[in-house]
Amino acid sequence: MSDVRELLGRAAEDAGRPVISTEAVYAKAARVRWRRRAGISAAAVCAVAAGAFVVPGLSSGPATQDSSVAAPTELVGNSGRARDLGRLLPKGVGAVEQVSLAVIIKHATPEQAEEHPVGPLDGQYSVRRGGGVGYLTVDTRTAKKLDAKLGGAPRDTDLCKDRPGEPAPADCVREELPGGRVLTIWSDAMNYGGVTPEWGPELVGRLMLEDGSMLGIRDSTGFEADTAQGPLLKTPPLTRAQLRTLILSPELLRKK
């Protein structure tokens, strides 16, 4: 994990540049590993599974912004996707709204934050409960997009196996399911330190499908920064069992 910590430290020291999320830096660390190794690292696959994103124009230099940024209307609030996702969640989870993390964290413009969802409920959602704010992100990758992200490395890497100098994620459980599907769920303390925003602990789920595509869900307690929408949740929005139920819901799968 030294690559990750080194890059996170550089991001924290890079005054004058736009905020870089832990996800974006983690994805950059994964790309460094791809260049250094012939095979793929578990950390790189974890970053892809967690839906790591980089907003165009915000990761390489200072942003130019002439006015305050509002999130795209279709990405925020009690949208149709938020209502549909809410119907799949157990009672007591909290109030669910669709948001744009690129707008909230990186001050992206609506154009930069434009999304192209693959799955019917792909998106980023805030979950408000007990005075805190956590997040659920749902991200579907086609086999073609996934291969491009992984640089030709195998899609079915077993994340629960230790690799030299790189231990498996905490509480990692891998299930082989009917129809060639493989589900992996793990915990991430997100304690990389020294970076804004500082993400709280989360659960991550990755479902590899028989056609080579992947469905990933982040189940996060939230983040701490000046742009935070509220304090961290005490626990992720969903329990491990609830996350498993959600990621296996057919309503999340894209139509073929």
Side-chain angles (χ1 to χ4, degrees):
M1 293 296 179
S2 60
D3 293 336
V4 177
R5 291 193 176 93
E6 178 184 353
L7 287 164
L8 290 172
R10 290 179 187 173
E13 295 169 359
D14 199 2
R17 291 179 181 266
V19 173
I20 300 177
S21 75
T22 302
E23 286 181 292
V25 178
Y26 202 79
K28 186 175 181 181
R31 289 195 295 272
V32 170
R33 286 195 179 94
W34 293 338
R35 290 194 293 268
R36 291 180 180 176
R37 302 180 185 179
I40 187 165
S41 71
V45 180
C46 288
V48 174
F53 66 93
V54 178
V55 179
L58 293 185
S59 59
S60 59
T64 56
Q65 188 171 306
D66 298 326
S67 60
S68 61
V69 175
T73 303
E74 66 273 18
L75 293 182
V76 177
N78 194 19
S79 66
R81 273 189 276 173
R83 288 192 297 270
D84 290 343
L85 180 67
R87 294 188 184 104
L88 300 177
L89 302 179
K91 292 182 179 179
V93 165
V96 179
E97 290 188 335
Q98 191 171 4
V99 297
S100 169
L101 290 174
V103 170
I104 295 170
I105 296 173
K106 296 189 172 187
H107 309 293
T109 66
E111 291 76 16
Q112 290 170 325
E114 183 180 2
E115 295 182 350
H116 303 281
V118 175
L121 296 182
D122 281 8
Q124 300 152 13
Y125 304 87
S126 66
V127 180
R128 296 178 181 272
R129 182 177 69 207
V133 182
Y135 296 92
L136 291 171
T137 68
V138 181
D139 181 41
T140 303
R141 303 285 176 95
T142 64
K144 182 177 180 180
K145 292 284 188 182
L146 188 58
D147 286 341
K149 278 284 185 182
L150 297 177
R155 308 185 199 115
D156 59 350
T157 300
D158 186 348
L159 304 181
C160 295
K161 288 186 177 179
D162 290 338
R163 290 172 174 267
E166 198 171 295
D171 306 317
C172 189
V173 176
R174 173 186 167 96
E175 294 182 66
E176 295 187 5
L177 303 171
R181 299 171 300 160
V182 178
L183 172 63
T184 308
I185 297 178
W186 67 93
S187 301
D188 192 337
M190 300 297 285
N191 56 350
Y192 304 115
V195 172
T196 300
E198 293 186 7
W199 286 91
E202 62 183 40
L203 293 170
V204 184
R206 182 191 79 165
L207 179 64
M208 298 300 302
L209 300 168
E210 60 272 20
D211 64 356
S213 62
M214 183 198 77
L215 172 63
I217 297 181
R218 284 186 61 196
D219 179 21
S220 171
T221 54
F223 66 89
E224 295 179 324
D226 292 342
T227 56
Q229 295 182 300
L232 299 178
L233 294 179
K234 294 180 180 179
T235 59
L238 302 178
T239 65
R240 179 178 287 260
Q242 291 168 343
L243 174 58
R244 183 183 185 279
T245 297
L246 177 62
I247 203 170
L248 293 178
S249 299
E251 291 87 347
L252 269 59
L253 300 180
R254 64 192 180 109
K255 306 297 181 183
K256 296 183 179 179

